[in-house]
Amino acid sequence: AFLKSGVQLRMTKDARARGIVSISSLASDGQSWLVTTRDANRSDSGAWLVSGSQWLDVSGAFRNSEGGLDVSGQDGVWYARAWTRGRVGSPKTQTLSRWMSGAQNAETVNLPSGFSNLAPGCLNEGGATVCTGIGAPVFVNGAWYLIGGSAESRTSDNRVLQAAKGNIWRLDGTNASTLSHLPEFKFVSGIWQSDSGILVATSHAVTNPYAADAYWLFDGSTMKNVGSQ
């Protein structure tokens, strides 16, 4: 059984009764659970909204998720990242959408300028190295935000074609607006929820977005430095 904010989910028996054999992720909005699944017989990821003993198949709300589906929720509002399947010469990319519990379809969120839709990590593309940090929607102090940034592209001789820049945007439905007065950083290396806010690890490394050199606590308006290397 899984428990979050008083919402309990009993998995094995209920999942097997619906033919679910592989669970990809679990997320709670404090009221219900959203269970994402992978099935060899379907290309896209599956999604089930679970309230008590009731399981509702909501897979149809999330399209183009053959590479996976990541969700975050709060009080009936969910933000989902649907991933394409990465292939040689075609990196894995994401689409962000907003979904209200029980709605037939999710609304597409237009990713803001400066937010890369590439999967985190580094890849070589056309002789250039492209690096992207982590990016994800988060909920803190009554509002939704999008944390992430742009990708950095460098030639084989280390000349910068596009510089990375991290940022945070406030999400209002399907719209995003940039926050001001934030510290400068290149990449987001990690994002974790805590009782007092969102812990964000950032990096200035050139070719390793995961090499965190600073840690910040984001409360919805400011980023407080809580550690650096």
Side-chain angles (χ1 to χ4, degrees):
F2 297 85
L3 183 66
K4 178 184 178 182
S5 301
V7 182
Q8 191 171 32
L9 173 64
R10 298 187 181 278
M11 285 297 302
T12 306
K13 182 178 179 180
D14 290 340
R16 287 178 177 173
R18 290 159 178 80
I20 299 171
V21 295
S22 178
I23 302 295
S24 297
S25 66
L26 304 170
S28 173
D29 67 346
Q31 300 172 349
S32 305
W33 288 86
L34 197 59
V35 180
T36 66
T37 65
R38 294 310 306 269
D39 187 336
N41 297 322
R42 62 185 301 164
S43 58
D44 284 337
S45 299
W48 295 79
L49 184 67
V50 184
S51 300
S53 61
Q54 181 181 10
W55 287 58
L56 178 65
D57 188 349
V58 295
S59 304
F62 307 102
R63 305 294 185 184
N64 303 317
S65 58
E66 62 176 3
L69 185 65
D70 299 325
V71 294
S72 301
Q74 185 68 38
D75 299 329
V77 179
W78 302 84
Y79 280 91
R81 292 178 295 155
W83 295 92
T84 62
R85 189 184 299 278
R87 297 175 175 84
V88 176
S90 179
K92 192 174 180 179
T93 61
Q94 65 170 301
T95 300
L96 181 65
S97 61
R98 178 179 182 265
W99 181 69
M100 307 296 289
S101 287
Q104 184 174 359
N105 297 301
E107 302 174 280
T108 299
V109 176
N110 293 321
L111 293 175
S113 175
F115 184 91
S116 174
N117 70 335
L118 298 177
C122 293
L123 58 91
N124 188 277
E125 188 175 23
T129 299
V130 181
C131 293
T132 309
I134 292 171
V138 299
F139 184 86
V140 59
N141 287 337
W144 282 96
Y145 299 88
L146 183 63
I147 301 178
S150 57
E152 178 146 317
S153 178
R154 290 176 176 261
T155 63
S156 57
D157 60 357
N158 209 33
R159 181 167 54 90
V160 177
L161 299 176
Q162 175 183 293
K165 184 180 186 303
N167 214 331
I168 300 179
W169 297 262
R170 171 134 183 195
L171 291 170
D172 182 10
T174 59
N175 299 313
S177 56
T178 307
L179 296 188
S180 58
H181 308 297
L182 296 176
E184 292 188 1
F185 55 91
K186 291 175 73 71
F187 299 112
V188 176
S189 306
I191 302 172
W192 302 274
Q193 187 85 44
S194 74
D195 292 336
S196 52
I198 304 296
L199 182 63
V200 183
T202 62
S203 173
H204 283 88
V206 174
T207 57
N208 185 0
Y210 298 111
D213 50 36
Y215 295 84
W216 312 83
L217 189 63
F218 175 63
D219 62 5
S221 59
T222 61
M223 294 180 73
K224 178 183 178 181
N225 192 317
V226 292
S228 60
Q229 296 181 353

